Amino acid sequence: MKTLLIILWGVLLFVFTCASDSGFWVAGTFPTFHWSTTPDFHELTNMDLMPTFGYIIRKIGHFSGFAVLAAFFYRQNKSIKKSIMYSVFYAIFTEFIQLYFGRDGRLYDVVIDTAGILFGMTLITMAYRRKIRRKMSDSVL
């Protein structure tokens, strides 16, 4: 079941990152995909930051989506390092593969994804430490 959650979440992230129109979910339409055999790899380094509401919402989606993916990886393997590594690898993969779907993958999105991954792992670490402290204080009493 844990592996299934990772696969389903990975597919969901893939659909959102590779669909021709990332706003399909707002419009209530089915996502479409267009394969490109000639991706423009220069797009990865484009720094087209746009502080619009929709843009910020998409970046929050990147951040939170990869935080959840990392949490699912952690739930499966109980390793912070492996969870970070697998999640960052998938973030890099999705940005790279977007170029083949006519989308504009960006390295700064990998940074945003990684920030979400690290945030998620920090929350898990804090929760784990809190749980241990609670157990220790309960055993002392």
Side-chain angles (χ1 to χ4, degrees):
M1 185 60 148
K2 294 174 185 178
T3 302
L4 181 62
L5 275 174
I6 292 170
I7 291 169
L8 290 175
W9 195 256
V11 167
L12 183 70
L13 289 174
F14 183 85
V15 168
F16 274 98
T17 57
C18 292
S20 298
D21 177 15
S22 63
F24 72 89
W25 58 278
V26 174
T29 60
F30 193 76
T32 58
F33 302 91
H34 301 286
W35 182 257
S36 171
T37 57
T38 56
D40 182 4
F41 293 105
H42 291 95
E43 290 292 322
L44 286 170
T45 58
N46 193 345
M47 294 294 290
D48 58 346
L49 305 171
M50 301 171 288
T52 64
F53 181 74
Y55 179 83
I56 292 168
I57 293 298
R58 284 193 307 275
K59 300 310 158 192
I60 290 170
H62 272 269
F63 185 90
S64 58
F66 279 89
V68 170
L69 180 66
F72 286 159
F73 273 124
Y74 179 77
R75 192 165 169 233
Q76 181 187 43
N77 63 48
K78 300 297 185 214
S79 168
I80 295 286
K81 288 179 185 178
K82 284 182 183 178
S83 300
I84 290 171
M85 184 180 69
Y86 297 155
S87 300
V88 169
F89 173 79
Y90 195 67
I92 293 167
F93 170 76
T94 58
E95 291 306 315
F96 178 78
I97 199 74
Q98 278 184 66
L99 301 172
Y100 287 92
F101 285 90
R103 295 284 305 273
D104 43 350
R106 301 283 190 261
L107 290 178
Y108 66 77
D109 279 341
V110 174
V111 173
I112 293 168
D113 299 344
T114 301
I117 291 163
L118 294 174
F119 179 75
M121 293 296 92
T122 299
L123 290 179
I124 287 172
T125 301
M126 290 169 52
Y128 179 74
R129 288 181 180 164
R130 188 175 187 183
K131 182 179 175 181
I132 288 176
R133 276 189 297 236
R134 213 179 268 153
K135 279 185 178 181
M136 290 175 79
S137 65
D138 288 347
S139 66
V140 171
L141 298 175

